[in-house]
Amino acid sequence: MKKIILLALAAASTVTAAQAQSKGDKKITVTLFNNNWQFVKNADTSVNNQLFNRAGVLSWQQVSLPHTVNIEPVIKTAQQWQGICFYRKFFTLDKKDAGKYIAIRIDAAMNLADVYLNGKHLQTHIGGYLPVYIDISNKALYGKENCLVIRLNNQDNPVIPPGKPIKDLDFNFYSGIYRNAWLIKKNKVYITDAVNAGQVNGGGVSLHYDNISSKSARLNIKVQVQNDHATKQSVKLKATVYDASGKSVGLINMPAIAIKPNSSNTFEKSITITKPALWSPAHPYLYKVVVGVEGNGVLLDSVSIKTGIRQISFKADGFYLNGSKYVLRGTNRHQEYPYIGYALSDNAQYRDTYKIKQAGFDFVRCSHYPPSPAFLNACDELGIFVMDSTPGWQFFGDETFQKNSLQAITDMLHRDRNHPSIILWEASLNETDMKRDYMEKAHAIVHQELPYADTYTCGWMNAVYDVFIPARQHAKAPDYWKKFNQKPILIAEYGDWEYYAQNAGFNQTQYKDLTDQEKTSRQLRGDGEKRMLQQALNFQESHNDNLNGKITGDANWLMFDYKRGYAPDIESSGIMDIFRLPKFAYYFYQSQRDASEIKPVLFIANYWNNRATKIVTIYSNCDEVELFLNGRSIAKQKPDTGTMSNNLKHAPFTFNTAYTPGTLTAKGYIKGQVVTTSERKTPGKPSLVKLRVDYSGKPLAAGKNDVVFVYASVTDENGTVIPDATNLIKLNLKGAGEVIGAEEVKAEAGVAAFLIKAGSKSGKIQLSASADGLKTAFLVAQ
């Protein structure tokens, strides 16, 4: 008999993201432009009048941004959708806006965008990962309706990075306007957009710190101001630095300067901040810099930027943060979500960042393209170092491709240069046989744009770039770069291919009885306890070996499972699956953080349901762990510091314990005191379905195309998840939201995962989960 579970979700009310200052009609606004778009695909791909006519014959779908062109199945049954589609938006500008500077910025549109306004072609934008900036000041209608049309093409294109055909690519590039759009209204004297300005080491607002110590730090500010008037304008600039409490800790007043008509001027000034709170992963302290441009006592434009003060350096013997040596412990991340591809809300971007931090990582490589600005903002806020990466993977194109690639690097630098989290610029095409002159140009662009001592390029080839970032599979085992000392080195990938290809060079005798599928790090969450343990062991072994050399840090491959173009299966070497559910390896990495940094970690890596079990593995950051079976103490042990874990911060614990049905209880000790406990019970018969919503630090927000994961677990009557349950579970939704993708899902390792989206207006979302033969359970949720 099917039973129903109800869940009420409170969706936060819509908040318009806007930055505004006003005096009379001198209003400055940067406002989200995400709502009331229309979309059509698989239609006539020619540009004709009906695209701009409300009464046209096309069947337009009403959508809001971020948006993906095609909802893709999790298990690929056909190649990802590619083709041409159209987005359009009707909007009206007030007559009072005439004479202002008006622009539209689209944060990403995949992959080739042609922009039309009121039937006229304005521009073509190449590349799907960086902003499309559209100045419509002299092209828009005022007091009348405008029609903006974006023609998008994500078909294979060898001159647009990454360039490789998707059927041969190791990741997908989904179509759509999949990040935010913004409507910008400013006066005719305004601070430029850095990407649109395209100025070397200029444009917009540029912040850089030097002379950094615990006593003081010098902030160097550079601001480009444009005058679009036909007459010269006298303007002055003011910049204020605020601490986290909102208190002003620095003020810059620059004298008035006359800017010629239709010209720009760059203001530069420095200020000393005393006793700065230095940014670090443990203390990601952010200041706010507000830059204002005034003319005749009127605020003409204002820009606010969050910023962090930190001192970094890469040396041959390691990475240094704020004067102390610091080992970066990181991961790689693809931005893909199930069903919706790249179209993540800002909140969803934050939740991914939150999970990376909770996993114990302090570093992330943006594989293999620039991420969302929201993701970088979250890294700034939560304290995660970033390697920002240009689009590329195993493809080196012609001169046009190379030109477009170098432009992508430039735009990435202009967009992202003020983030304190970014410490490396991957101006390198990943796993690509690049020509030396390309590498020299890419490297030079970074240092011309950011000519500072703490600017570092990186590349997978040991040439030109400041930091060498190989993957372990790029050398033979067991050396794996341990003797490398020519320049700073960071292992950018490890733990996946070397085991997938069976060339790990470790424990081959021990692994001899395992099948190829059991040896690999590519393990789905439902592949069982033995294979979850093997994946975690592979990561443990590689990470431990990395620490033998003079590395600055390492990044495992990878954080989340994802889909790719060249293979039908999910790339499953993530420590969380594509629905962001953890595998055993997730808890191994959590245990590599001190309890003072994250929390006391104590995870029993065993389902305790197999009579063949003879060893229990526990991942913990405690000094000692005591294991009990049905209330009886088995042993109290210190971590295993054998050859596979003697470099780890916290080695796993292993207990020789034969299986007996019942309850395993672990107690973790730090300095002789119990700080945490954990239980693992033998599961009984399936009885209940339990629902859980994954908020990961952000409530579900209405009006923003916000999405969250919902997990339906099959449990026994005591609430223990049944790890081999594969029940078909159906999710029903009523209220202010919708289910995205599959509504009926088979449980994997006892859990079925769903994706839901909040509606345009706040309100309750009622979920019901049903499965044959399972009883009702209730959950009080946020």
Side-chain angles (χ1 to χ4, degrees):
M1 180 174 58
K2 293 187 175 182
K3 300 294 183 178
I4 295 176
I5 300 168
L6 295 180
L7 170 65
L9 299 177
S13 58
T14 305
V15 178
T16 300
Q19 167 193 309
Q21 302 281 347
S22 64
K23 185 171 182 179
D25 64 349
K26 304 287 187 179
K27 193 171 183 182
I28 313 154
T29 61
V30 180
T31 310
L32 276 174
F33 204 51
N34 286 348
N35 294 330
N36 301 316
W37 286 79
Q38 296 178 319
F39 160 77
V40 67
K41 68 175 179 180
N42 300 327
D44 182 359
T45 59
S46 64
V47 177
N48 51 59
N49 289 334
Q50 70 168 320
L51 292 174
F52 310 93
N53 186 350
R54 283 188 181 273
V57 298
L58 288 176
S59 298
W60 292 88
Q61 177 186 351
Q62 297 294 318
V63 300
S64 57
L65 308 181
H67 181 260
T68 189
V69 168
N70 199 62
I71 299 297
E72 302 283 350
V74 175
I75 304 300
K76 188 167 67 175
T77 56
Q79 191 60 267
Q80 169 218 306
W81 187 90
Q82 289 184 277
I84 295 171
C85 64
F86 292 92
Y87 288 83
R88 74 177 182 183
K89 182 176 172 72
F90 292 96
F91 65 100
T92 301
L93 298 171
D94 195 285
K95 289 182 179 180
K96 292 182 179 179
D97 291 330
K100 291 184 179 180
Y101 173 80
I102 310 292
I104 295 166
R105 187 182 78 234
I106 296 172
D107 285 342
M110 188 65 72
N111 187 36
L112 179 67
D114 279 289
V115 181
Y116 299 83
L117 184 67
N118 301 327
K120 296 181 180 178
H121 184 262
L122 300 188
Q123 66 193 72
T124 298
H125 184 269
I126 294 170
Y129 297 99
L130 292 159
V132 183
Y133 198 91
I134 312 158
D135 182 350
I136 61 171
S137 304
N138 300 321
K139 304 173 182 70
L141 303 174
Y142 295 90
K144 297 180 180 179
E145 188 173 72
N146 294 274
C147 180
L148 176 70
V149 170
I150 311 291
R151 182 184 189 267
L152 279 186
N153 184 345
N154 78 324
Q155 294 170 315
D156 297 337
N157 193 321
V159 302
I160 302 179
K164 196 167 190 175
I166 200 166
K167 69 179 180 62
D168 300 321
L169 193 66
D170 191 33
F171 56 93
N172 289 339
F173 47 97
Y174 298 89
S175 190
I177 302 179
Y178 68 91
R179 291 179 185 159
N180 292 324
W182 304 87
L183 178 62
I184 301 165
K185 296 182 181 181
K186 297 190 176 188
N187 298 289
K188 284 288 189 180
V189 175
Y190 56 93
I191 298 169
T192 61
D193 176 89
V195 175
N196 186 55
Q199 299 292 311
V200 175
N201 188 30
V205 178
S206 176
L207 308 176
H208 183 260
Y209 295 90
D210 57 21
N211 298 338
I212 299 169
S213 71
S214 59
K215 295 181 180 179
S216 65
R218 183 172 64 182
L219 169 60
N220 306 288
I221 301 180
K222 183 182 290 188
V223 184
Q224 186 186 46
V225 179
Q226 175 73 28
N227 173 24
D228 282 349
H229 288 286
T231 58
K232 68 180 180 180
Q233 300 291 310
S234 179
V235 301
K236 64 180 182 178
L237 186 142
K238 176 181 177 180
T240 309
V241 183
Y242 298 94
D243 66 14
S245 71
K247 177 185 176 183
S248 174
V249 295
L251 177 64
I252 295 176
N253 281 302
M254 300 187 191
I257 294 178
I259 305 178
K260 294 178 181 179
N262 298 309
S263 299
S264 66
N265 187 80
T266 297
F267 294 79
E268 294 186 66
K269 194 76 173 179
S270 298
I271 185 174
T272 297
I273 299 172
T274 60
K275 296 181 179 179
L278 300 183
W279 189 98
S280 71
H283 301 284
Y285 192 94
L286 294 176
Y287 292 86
K288 182 171 68 173
V289 177
V290 178
V291 181
V293 178
E294 295 182 0
N296 297 321
V298 175
L299 182 65
L300 301 176
D301 197 6
S302 178
V303 171
S304 176
I305 299 174
K306 287 187 176 181
T307 178
I309 304 171
R310 86 287 187 274
Q311 183 184 58
I312 64 164
S313 60
F314 283 88
K315 301 179 182 180
D317 69 332
F319 172 71
Y320 289 79
L321 171 65
N322 299 327
S324 299
K325 198 169 184 179
Y326 189 100
V327 178
L328 298 161
R329 289 164 287 183
T331 190
N332 285 261
R333 180 226 184 204
H334 273 299
Q335 66 183 15
E336 176 190 9
Y337 251 38
Y339 305 122
I340 61 172
Y342 286 174
L344 281 67
S345 64
D346 286 358
N347 280 353
Q349 298 282 355
Y350 180 95
R351 294 184 190 107
D352 263 10
T353 319
Y354 181 91
K355 290 178 177 68
I356 292 170
K357 187 74 173 182
Q358 290 295 303
F361 295 122
D362 58 19
F363 171 76
V364 62
R365 178 184 182 218
C366 299
S367 316
H368 299 289
Y369 37 76
S372 165
F375 181 78
L376 294 175
N377 291 339
C379 288
D380 292 343
E381 179 183 337
L382 295 176
I384 300 175
F385 286 118
V386 173
M387 181 192 297
D388 209 355
S389 307
T390 197
W393 188 77
Q394 294 187 359
F395 182 85
F396 193 69
D398 61 15
E399 290 184 6
T400 303
F401 170 90
Q402 294 170 49
K403 179 183 177 182
N404 290 336
S405 177
L406 296 173
Q407 185 62 53
I409 293 169
T410 304
D411 291 350
M412 175 178 71
L413 292 160
H414 286 159
R415 189 195 70 166
D416 297 341
R417 63 193 178 193
N418 292 325
H419 287 279
S421 57
I422 298 176
I423 56 173
L424 285 168
W425 301 96
E426 189 177 3
S428 165
L429 303 174
N430 186 55
E431 296 184 354
T432 299
D433 188 13
M434 300 169 287
K435 293 181 180 178
R436 187 175 181 91
D437 69 327
Y438 169 86
M439 291 189 285
E440 289 173 344
K441 289 176 183 177
H443 173 76
I445 284 171
V446 177
H447 285 285
Q448 289 164 3
E449 293 289 351
L450 303 175
Y452 312 120
D454 60 353
T455 297
Y456 296 94
T457 64
C458 59
W460 82 283
M461 298 177 73
N462 180 25
V464 180
Y465 299 107
D466 299 317
V467 179
F468 185 28
I469 56 164
R472 281 175 61 98
Q473 68 264 22
H474 297 158
K476 292 182 179 180
D479 285 340
Y480 288 123
W481 316 107
K482 289 196 286 279
K483 299 176 183 178
F484 185 86
N485 60 7
Q486 299 170 27
K487 62 172 67 171
I489 180 172
L490 184 148
I491 304 299
E493 299 177 22
Y494 71 89
D496 170 38
W497 178 259
E498 59 199 281
Y499 293 91
Y500 180 75
Q502 308 306 316
N503 67 342
F506 303 98
N507 292 322
Q508 294 302 316
T509 301
Q510 179 181 332
Y511 293 172
K512 65 182 175 61
D513 295 327
L514 298 178
T515 66
D516 286 349
Q517 289 77 15
E518 290 171 332
K519 293 177 185 178
T520 179
S521 298
R522 299 185 183 183
Q523 303 291 358
L524 294 167
R525 196 170 47 83
D527 284 338
E529 175 188 300
K530 181 178 181 180
R531 290 166 69 169
M532 289 292 93
L533 282 166
Q534 186 65 47
Q535 184 200 47
L537 186 68
N538 293 352
F539 285 125
Q540 171 190 332
E541 186 176 62
S542 294
H543 179 55
N544 178 68
D545 189 60
N546 291 341
L547 297 173
N548 282 315
K550 294 182 178 179
I551 65 165
T552 61
D554 61 5
N556 82 321
W557 190 266
L558 81 163
M559 186 67 200
F560 308 116
D561 289 353
Y562 67 99
K563 297 187 294 181
R564 57 263 178 95
Y566 78 77
D569 60 321
I570 289 177
E571 212 288 34
S572 56
S573 52
I575 65 168
M576 301 184 94
D577 72 6
I578 196 169
F579 284 95
R580 278 51 175 172
L581 281 163
K583 305 174 189 177
F584 285 4
Y586 171 92
Y587 300 99
F588 161 71
Y589 282 108
Q590 264 199 340
S591 75
Q592 296 310 295
R593 286 288 175 193
D594 289 340
S596 60
E597 294 179 274
I598 184 167
K599 64 180 180 180
V601 175
L602 190 64
F603 178 76
I604 302 171
N606 193 291
Y607 293 139
W608 206 239
N609 66 343
N610 187 346
R611 294 186 181 280
T613 298
K614 295 180 180 179
I615 295 175
V616 173
T617 300
I618 295 178
Y619 304 123
S620 180
N621 54 11
C622 295
D623 301 336
E624 292 181 290
V625 169
E626 187 171 11
L627 184 64
F628 298 80
L629 176 57
N630 296 328
R632 181 176 62 87
S633 179
I634 300 298
K636 184 178 182 182
Q637 293 182 185
K638 292 186 179 298
D640 178 7
T641 56
T643 56
M644 281 186 57
S645 56
N646 55 7
N647 293 314
L648 298 181
K649 193 150 192 176
H650 299 282
F653 295 77
T654 54
F655 293 85
N656 295 318
T657 308
Y659 171 79
T660 299
T663 302
L664 286 176
T665 303
K667 293 184 179 181
Y669 296 80
I670 295 179
K671 295 180 180 180
Q673 301 295 317
V674 176
V675 294
T676 184
T677 61
S678 180
E679 280 191 346
R680 179 73 76 172
K681 295 182 178 180
T682 302
K685 295 181 179 180
S687 178
L688 309 172
V689 174
K690 285 194 170 183
L691 280 173
R692 178 172 69 88
V693 183
D694 176 21
Y695 295 112
S696 289
K698 288 286 184 182
L700 182 62
K704 297 182 178 181
N705 274 8
D706 195 13
V707 289
V708 291
F709 294 113
V710 173
Y711 306 128
S713 300
V714 179
T715 76
D716 64 15
E717 61 183 5
N718 297 316
T720 300
V721 175
I722 314 298
D724 53 3
T726 58
N727 302 61
L728 183 65
I729 299 178
K730 180 174 176 59
L731 187 74
N732 292 302
L733 184 151
K734 294 181 180 179
E738 62 179 307
V739 179
I740 303 296
E743 298 179 359
E744 285 189 305
V745 175
K746 272 192 173 184
E748 180 183 2
V751 184
F754 304 87
L755 189 66
I756 66 169
K757 182 172 76 172
S760 58
K761 296 181 180 180
S762 61
K764 288 184 177 181
I765 297 175
Q766 293 180 319
L767 296 173
S768 64
S770 57
D772 288 340
L774 300 181
K775 300 176 184 178
T776 301
F778 295 91
L779 173 69
V780 178
Q782 182 179 337

